[in-house]
């Protein structure tokens, strides 16, 4: 498993290959398509991320001091965003998650190219993960 910094670097490198934002949105959709579906019995109200325009479920499980996270969304782009967050956060300790820099989000341009509601949703997902 790559370090937290390496995982973020990999994402930055992947997105730097995209020619424009249309291609980056397509990448987000494809990344979300690779996320394993969440079982319907795990899609409960208490697992929903508040503040998201789309429905996003986040399910944590702690094993040997590390937090492993499953997630799903009913929106393709949002599913891609949560998939990126899982690549960075899942399998980390609570301290790593709390102290992780989110500079990769700015470096790939998500903070500038998402609508205000999607950007708020993205940071709501981060806050939900950090709350575990």
């Amino acid at each position: 498993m790559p370090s937290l910094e390496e995982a973020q670097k990999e994402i930055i490198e992947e997105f730097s290959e995209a020619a424009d934002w249309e291609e980056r949105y397509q990448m987000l959709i494809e990344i979300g398509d690779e996320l394993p579906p969440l079982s319907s019995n795990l899609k409960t109200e208490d697992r929903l991320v508040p503040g998201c325009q789309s429905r996003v479920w986040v399910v944590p499980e702690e094993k040997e001091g590390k937090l492993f996270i499953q997630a799903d969304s009913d929106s393709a782009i949002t599913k891609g965003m949560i998939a990126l967050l899982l690549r960075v956060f899942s399998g980390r300790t609570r301290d790593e998650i709390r102290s992780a820099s989110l500079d990769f989000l700015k470096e790939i341009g998500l903070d500038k190219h998402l609508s205000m509601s999607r950007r708020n949703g993205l940071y709501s997902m981060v806050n939900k993960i950090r709350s575990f």
Side-chain angles (χ1 to χ4, degrees):
M1 176 178 205
S3 72
L4 202 136
E5 292 78 19
E6 291 169 337
Q8 292 183 56
K9 249 181 157 173
E10 287 173 9
I11 292 169
I12 292 166
E13 287 172 12
E14 284 175 37
F15 276 79
S16 71
E17 295 173 11
D20 56 25
W21 259 96
E22 188 173 318
E23 199 172 313
R24 287 180 183 207
Y25 280 127
Q26 187 58 43
M27 288 176 70
L28 273 176
I29 291 167
E30 290 170 8
I31 290 166
D33 286 345
E34 295 172 8
L35 196 63
L38 194 59
S39 173
S40 60
N41 66 320
L42 295 175
K43 293 181 179 181
T44 58
E45 290 295 317
D46 62 316
R47 294 183 170 123
L48 278 172
V49 176
C52 283
Q53 184 177 353
S54 304
R55 294 169 56 91
V56 182
W57 298 270
V58 179
V59 181
E61 182 180 355
E62 190 167 4
K63 294 179 189 172
E64 299 177 10
K66 295 184 178 184
L67 199 60
F68 293 88
I69 307 162
Q70 297 177 68
D72 203 353
S73 176
D74 61 0
S75 161
I77 290 175
T78 305
K79 191 171 183 174
M81 292 187 314
I82 193 67
L84 285 180
L85 293 176
L86 295 186
R87 283 175 57 183
V88 171
F89 290 132
S90 190
R92 312 283 175 199
T93 65
R94 293 174 190 273
D95 286 340
E96 287 176 304
I97 292 170
R98 276 192 288 266
S99 64
S101 159
L102 297 177
D103 291 341
F104 82 99
L105 296 173
K106 291 178 183 167
E107 291 217 25
I108 65 173
L110 280 181
D111 63 328
K112 291 181 184 174
H113 289 88
L114 291 176
S115 67
M116 180 66 83
S117 60
R118 278 215 170 107
R119 190 169 39 244
N120 289 341
L122 175 63
Y123 288 103
S124 292
M125 290 182 252
V126 170
N127 290 337
K128 179 77 170 179
I129 291 169
R130 285 185 166 166
S131 75
F132 299 130

